[in-house]
Amino acid sequence: MKKLLLDNQLCFPLYALSRQVTALYRPLLERLELTYPQYLVMLLLWETDNRFVGEIGDRLLLDSGTLTPLLKRLEQKQLVTRKRNPADERQVTIQLTEAGQALKNQAVDIPTQLQEGLNLDDKQIINLRIQLVTLLNQLTKTDTVN
Amino acid sequence: MKKLLLDNQLCFPLYALSRQVTALYRPLLERLELTYPQYLVMLLLWETDNRFVGEIGDRLLLDSGTLTPLLKRLEQKQLVTRKRNPADERQVTIQLTEAGQALKNQAVDIPTQLQEGLNLDDKQIINLRIQLVTLLNQLTKTDTVN
DNA sequence: TACAATTAGATTGTGCACAATATACTAACT
DNA sequence: AGTTAGTATATTGTGCACAATCTAATTGTA
């Protein structure tokens, strides 16, 4: 097999599919005025509020150079607040505002709507997800199950 | 299943894994002084040289807003040339320079090196790639219908 | 207590992605 | 020929990603 061919590498389908799936989210997220990475942060906060920046970064595998400006934009939209932790002033707690919590109601339908766009049944999606998560865990060596 | 949980969405593992795999390429590509998207363009040109910007974009699913500056950086590095097509001045032909062609020799080992970093055997990789390519084709096919 | 080492987050700079728009060119039609 | 529509690429602006560096706060150790 000629390994230098684009079609024979794992990397390209992964990279291209990731962008295509993000593009599927775009029209759905536009209504909430969220970008895709912002949506991921909100998903995390809807699960468990009041997280430190570092916790969000650990979970999403993003560093402060990405998260700090992103969180400032969410703060500008009045979806979250950013407060230094009095017990340790190095840490910044991110907390949902009322508007941020309320936005969850507008987001609940997104996973179902997206799945329709994918044209795959549950079984296929779960199977693919398991493979992706397995490989992801292998690379990060961290089992991030709640 | 609670669909709004991060772990239950297809999107996040796909997005995170794509970034992690790109990160695996980074140290390998650093030696060639290429970024990952630049590497993808070079892969295409090593397969078939003298492509129009539009052809590259069709293949990588990238638009001119991404490709134009990227190709200019490759031109600055003297890896490619950019020339307007005399037969149709709207088109720009991208051609490898000698240095650009020669770089292929330094790149041939990258797929093998990457695979070692992934710690997966051939069968697993091929299986995952087939699923990704299948889904990718489904999505891009429905795009062209629109 | 002093102070080096560590930690959390912010800042800076480069390079994608992509929407929206602009520009130059070509083709098609009257 | 002149107008109009369509096409290919370029430009502009916003928002990630991520490396490198900085600052301030905390911890470890003598």
Side-chain angles (χ1 to χ4, degrees):
Chain A
M1 185 170 89
K2 292 183 179 172
K3 296 203 172 188
L4 262 196
L5 294 182
L6 193 62
D7 284 327
N8 293 334
Q9 304 220 16
L10 179 64
C11 62
F12 173 64
L14 187 58
Y15 157 82
L17 182 59
S18 174
R19 284 191 298 111
Q20 294 300 301
V21 170
T22 301
L24 283 183
Y25 275 93
R26 219 182 309 281
L28 305 177
L29 293 177
E30 219 159 67
R31 296 178 216 157
L32 316 195
E33 294 187 312
L34 289 178
T35 66
Y36 179 69
Q38 287 169 11
Y39 169 65
L40 292 180
V41 170
M42 294 301 286
L43 277 183
L44 255 188
L45 294 172
W46 288 327
E47 279 181 38
T48 313
D49 202 358
N50 291 300
R51 304 224 190 198
F52 297 131
V53 175
E55 292 177 309
I56 298 174
D58 286 346
R59 197 68 198 292
L60 300 184
L61 305 172
L62 292 170
D63 73 359
S64 68
T66 302
L67 282 176
T68 296
L70 186 157
L71 291 168
K72 284 183 177 175
R73 282 186 283 270
L74 289 181
E75 187 185 34
Q76 271 193 325
K77 292 185 216 185
Q78 319 225 10
L79 295 176
V80 306
T81 58
R82 300 165 64 251
K83 282 185 204 132
R84 295 245 162 226
N85 177 15
D88 185 340
E89 291 277 343
R90 292 170 306 179
Q91 298 177 314
V92 171
T93 304
I94 307 299
Q95 183 176 19
L96 289 170
T97 62
E98 296 235 339
Q101 288 170 32
L103 197 65
K104 184 176 182 177
N105 299 323
Q106 291 184 57
V108 287
D109 294 330
I110 289 183
T112 308
Q113 291 176 317
L114 188 90
Q115 196 163 329
E116 288 166 9
L118 281 177
N119 263 340
L120 283 182
D121 58 47
D122 274 15
K123 210 173 289 178
Q124 284 175 292
I125 289 186
I126 290 171
N127 179 34
L128 177 54
R129 183 164 55 76
I130 287 171
Q131 286 187 72
L132 295 173
V133 169
T134 302
L135 187 44
L136 183 60
N137 285 338
Q138 216 168 308
L139 290 184
T140 56
K141 306 289 184 202
T142 27
D143 282 344
T144 52
V145 179
N146 281 2
Chain B
M1 186 170 88
K2 291 182 181 174
K3 297 204 171 187
L4 262 194
L5 293 182
L6 194 61
D7 283 326
N8 292 335
Q9 303 221 15
L10 178 64
C11 62
F12 173 65
L14 187 57
Y15 157 83
L17 182 59
S18 173
R19 284 171 32 241
Q20 294 300 302
V21 170
T22 301
L24 283 183
Y25 276 93
R26 219 182 310 278
L28 306 176
L29 293 177
E30 219 159 68
R31 297 178 216 155
L32 316 195
E33 295 188 313
L34 289 177
T35 65
Y36 179 69
Q38 287 169 10
Y39 169 66
L40 292 180
V41 171
M42 294 302 285
L43 277 183
L44 255 188
L45 293 173
W46 288 328
E47 278 180 37
T48 313
D49 201 357
N50 292 301
R51 304 224 190 198
F52 297 132
V53 175
E55 292 177 310
I56 298 174
D58 286 346
R59 196 67 198 291
L60 301 184
L61 305 173
L62 292 170
D63 74 359
S64 69
T66 301
L67 283 176
T68 296
L70 185 157
L71 291 168
K72 284 183 178 175
R73 282 186 284 270
L74 289 182
E75 187 184 34
Q76 271 192 326
K77 292 185 217 185
Q78 318 223 9
L79 296 176
V80 305
T81 58
R82 298 167 65 251
K83 282 185 203 130
R84 294 244 163 228
N85 177 14
D88 186 338
E89 292 278 343
R90 292 170 303 179
Q91 298 177 315
V92 172
T93 304
I94 307 298
Q95 184 176 18
L96 289 170
T97 62
E98 295 235 340
Q101 288 170 30
L103 197 65
K104 184 175 181 176
N105 298 324
Q106 291 184 57
V108 287
D109 293 331
I110 289 183
T112 307
Q113 291 176 318
L114 188 91
Q115 196 162 330
E116 288 165 10
L118 280 177
N119 260 341
L120 282 183
D121 58 46
D122 275 15
K123 209 174 291 175
Q124 284 175 291
I125 290 186
I126 290 172
N127 179 33
L128 177 55
R129 184 165 54 76
I130 287 171
Q131 286 186 72
L132 295 174
V133 170
T134 302
L135 186 45
L136 183 59
N137 285 339
Q138 266 185 55
L139 291 185
T140 53
K141 196 179 285 181
T142 54
D143 279 350
T144 50
V145 166
N146 291 347

